Amino acid sequence: MTKIINVIKGTHDILPQEIDKWHILEENALKIFTRYGYKEIRTPIFESTELFARGVGDTTDIVNKEMYTFEKSDKSLTLRPENTAGVVRSYIENGMARLSSPVKLWYKGPMFRYERPQKGRQRQFHQVGIEMFGIKEPTADAEVIFMAVNYLKSLGLNNLEVEINSLGCPKCREEFKNKLKTVLKWEFNNLCEDCQNRYEKNPLRLLDCKVESCKTIFEKPEIQKVIQSDFICEECAEHFVKLKSYLDKLGIKYTVNKLLVRGLDYYNRTVFEIKSNNLGSQNAVCGGGRYDSLVKNLGGEDTPAVGWAMGMERLNSLLPLPEPKKLDGYIVSNSPVNAFELAEELRDNGYNIEFDLSNKKFTKQLEKASKVANYAIILGEDEINAGNVSVKNLATGEQKTVSIQELRSML
RNA sequence: GCGUCUGUCGUCAAGCGGUUAAGACCUCGGAUUGUGGUUCCGAUAUACAUGGGUUCGAAUCCCAUCAGACGCCCCA
């Protein structure tokens, strides 16, 4: 036998038996986001490599280690590892700054990251996400979080934990980073290898280390003092306080997690995640935040923005498997032409109909009907001659002989 | 990139050094040539990831490779 070709590591087929769940995710996204005034946008799956380097940030792992990059006629192209950069590019390129503010966009589609696959993480995975441009007030942060929660509710997912934090603005964050680095300088050689890397790349992440020796170091009073200090400046603090008060008044339960940092460079002020306890170690279904400087960094006008993305495979694994849908009717007949005519007529009227295409025996056809359909529509010689059909309810066994007109009202 | 575990029919699995390598489900056919979902019978003619080794003898033990799962890093 010829050698078969397998799917690529970290990718997988979405098979017919699970596609209903994907439709639920997509239909609810359209429905809920539309209620909040969002329009769908579809951007290309590959973009110029530079977009991600500048947009996502060239200190991030996503850009440094995880991109699918290829060359084509002297251009460096990359399969999108996330979609915020692409949407921002489109926002700028299509002059959406001229649209009346806020501009609200949502998307869904595949993303690509070259990572080691594990539970809740694939190399090709799907995100559904939203971006809102033009509002600097914390009302935007609140609405965006509220919509995320509502979307999850619409999927029947209620027991999820919302975590928020504020990273401050570039200025106050820089100060905090420096303080942290100063106080940890003496301990640098005692930190684990990962922490030594984080020390330069993303000092805020140091605090989340799981290595015991590092935890012990961080517990020292002089270091705790820095960690516990509220580093964010007055304006940033006010923004955060307002956001929290909105969430409180809207009845959204959340916890403030000072260790919530997020790895994408573009975030400032508000960051948030929504987590589930039923997902294993990759437990965030939603991640997002404010990114006020990204539009400008990518060459647009200075425009504040907030957004989030959800991992659709992760959402999917939280959804119960819906009952597979059956056909409305299966025509049992040994007269293909008559079966065709009846099937087409019923299909034109919106019914889902199949019939046997291989001229199987009557009992076989009926057996098939009982597996795939709610009704068997029996169109044998007797019925054809009499100009009617026999309709059998396959759940109850009830059978009636009716005219074709009557048949329509039965299904 | 690192670590741990796992690879037996389309699917789920038994077997743990000597078996014709169970069984169940699915699919297909028959009992049943116009009445299914229950039942009974049968079929699927080359399922032990691949390549080496140890042994009289390997699906079973060892090594390598490949693949998968989970975890670390990082992220949805």
Side-chain angles (χ1 to χ4, degrees):
Chain A
M1 213 166 45
T2 315
K3 189 178 179 296
I4 63 166
I5 296 165
N6 304 105
V7 274
I8 300 302
K9 184 200 272 283
T11 72
H12 68 273
D13 303 313
I14 298 171
L15 298 169
Q17 58 262 35
E18 49 196 341
I19 199 68
D20 287 344
K21 286 165 79 170
W22 286 83
H23 289 323
I24 291 170
L25 292 182
E26 291 164 10
E27 285 160 12
N28 277 281
L30 175 60
K31 188 174 81 188
I32 302 290
F33 303 161
T34 302
R35 288 182 188 165
Y36 286 78
Y38 283 76
K39 298 276 191 201
E40 186 177 355
I41 183 169
R42 300 187 184 184
T43 62
I45 273 171
F46 57 92
E47 299 263 6
S48 157
T49 302
E50 195 192 349
L51 174 66
F52 302 114
R54 272 166 61 189
V56 180
D58 48 20
T59 68
T60 62
D61 277 6
I62 292 183
V63 169
N64 280 318
K65 316 196 294 205
E66 299 175 2
M67 295 207 297
Y68 281 94
T69 296
F70 56 99
E71 307 293 319
K72 198 75 188 173
S73 59
D74 287 338
K75 285 217 161 130
S76 179
L77 307 174
T78 293
L79 260 31
R80 62 186 186 194
E82 56 96 62
N83 208 20
T84 297
V87 170
V88 170
R89 194 222 81 234
S90 177
Y91 173 90
I92 296 167
E93 195 168 347
N94 292 293
M96 292 190 218
R98 291 304 184 93
L99 298 174
S100 88
S101 163
V103 174
K104 295 174 167 181
L105 303 169
W106 77 273
Y107 60 82
K108 61 165 199 275
M111 310 293 159
F112 306 85
R113 292 182 199 172
Y114 187 77
E115 300 179 273
R116 197 63 171 263
Q118 64 183 75
K119 191 179 175 68
R121 171 186 295 163
Q122 290 80 40
R123 288 183 175 179
Q124 177 178 172
F125 63 103
H126 297 76
Q127 286 187 331
V128 57
I130 62 109
E131 316 292 349
M132 189 204 295
F133 297 95
I135 307 290
K136 63 177 190 301
E137 284 78 9
T139 41
D141 312 43
E143 189 184 83
V144 144
I145 293 173
F146 199 53
M147 184 168 80
V149 170
N150 260 343
Y151 174 57
L152 294 167
K153 268 190 198 160
S154 78
L155 300 171
L157 306 174
N158 299 306
N159 296 319
L160 300 170
E161 289 169 25
V162 179
E163 292 188 354
I164 62 172
N165 190 23
S166 178
L167 300 177
C169 50
K171 221 167 93 190
C172 46
R173 185 164 21 161
E174 210 47 48
E175 277 173 32
F176 179 69
K177 276 189 191 172
N178 288 334
K179 268 195 206 167
L180 201 59
K181 280 163 80 171
T182 309
V183 77
L184 283 172
K185 210 178 205 167
W186 320 103
E187 302 284 358
F188 184 82
N189 290 321
N190 300 326
L191 295 171
C192 70
E193 202 183 319
D194 286 331
C195 279
Q196 295 192 355
N197 280 326
R198 287 189 275 237
Y199 184 85
E200 279 309 325
K201 254 171 55 184
N202 197 345
L204 294 177
R205 278 216 85 91
L206 281 165
L207 313 176
D208 202 12
C209 187
K210 282 143 200 128
V211 176
E212 278 308 316
S213 57
C214 290
K215 281 186 181 170
T216 316
I217 292 170
F218 299 146
E219 271 160 26
K220 292 187 178 179
E222 69 270 23
I223 297 172
Q224 272 299 309
K225 205 178 145 194
V226 176
I227 294 174
Q228 292 302 328
S229 67
D230 279 321
F231 65 87
I232 56 178
C233 65
E234 224 173 283
E235 281 173 58
C236 289
E238 193 190 323
H239 185 97
F240 195 47
V241 167
K242 276 189 180 164
L243 168 63
K244 286 188 287 188
S245 83
Y246 291 137
L247 294 179
D248 289 335
K249 283 170 188 157
L250 289 165
I252 292 183
K253 290 200 188 89
Y254 63 87
T255 52
V256 175
N257 177 1
K258 287 202 144 193
L259 303 178
L260 178 58
V261 168
R262 309 206 48 77
L264 284 69
D265 283 356
Y266 50 63
Y267 287 119
N268 68 296
R269 291 193 169 166
T270 310
V271 289
F272 58 90
E273 283 187 358
I274 302 179
K275 296 179 177 175
S276 162
N277 294 321
N278 301 317
L279 281 175
S281 97
Q282 305 305 319
N283 61 354
V285 285
C286 176
R290 181 164 276 282
Y291 50 97
D292 290 334
S293 47
L294 182 58
V295 178
K296 195 176 176 192
N297 284 347
L298 290 176
E301 287 174 45
D302 202 355
T303 308
V306 234
W308 51 250
M310 296 196 192
M312 295 179 79
E313 280 80 0
R314 293 182 190 177
L315 288 175
N316 228 313
S317 67
L318 295 173
L319 254 43
L321 198 62
E323 280 290 305
K325 286 177 202 139
K326 286 194 165 185
L327 291 170
D328 298 309
Y330 191 91
I331 297 172
V332 174
S333 174
N334 284 308
S335 167
V337 173
N338 290 286
F340 256 122
E341 278 173 1
L342 179 58
E344 284 305 314
E345 191 194 333
L346 292 170
R347 287 164 178 163
D348 285 346
N349 282 286
Y351 297 111
N352 301 330
I353 304 291
E354 271 201 278
F355 66 94
D356 175 53
L357 298 171
S358 52
N359 201 29
K360 286 203 177 65
K361 281 195 248 177
F362 185 86
T363 43
K364 286 293 165 196
Q365 290 194 33
L366 200 59
E367 190 183 333
K368 170 87 172 174
S370 71
K371 279 179 194 158
V372 302
N374 293 318
Y375 288 91
I377 299 163
I378 300 164
L379 184 65
E381 255 178 75
D382 300 346
E383 285 87 354
I384 292 168
N385 291 333
N388 55 27
V389 294
S390 296
V391 182
K392 179 164 188 162
N393 182 325
L394 291 161
T396 64
E398 223 178 311
Q399 183 168 329
K400 270 195 214 171
T401 301
V402 298
S403 69
I404 298 206
Q405 285 73 16
E406 287 172 292
L407 169 65
R408 288 210 200 114
S409 59
M410 283 184 71
L411 291 182

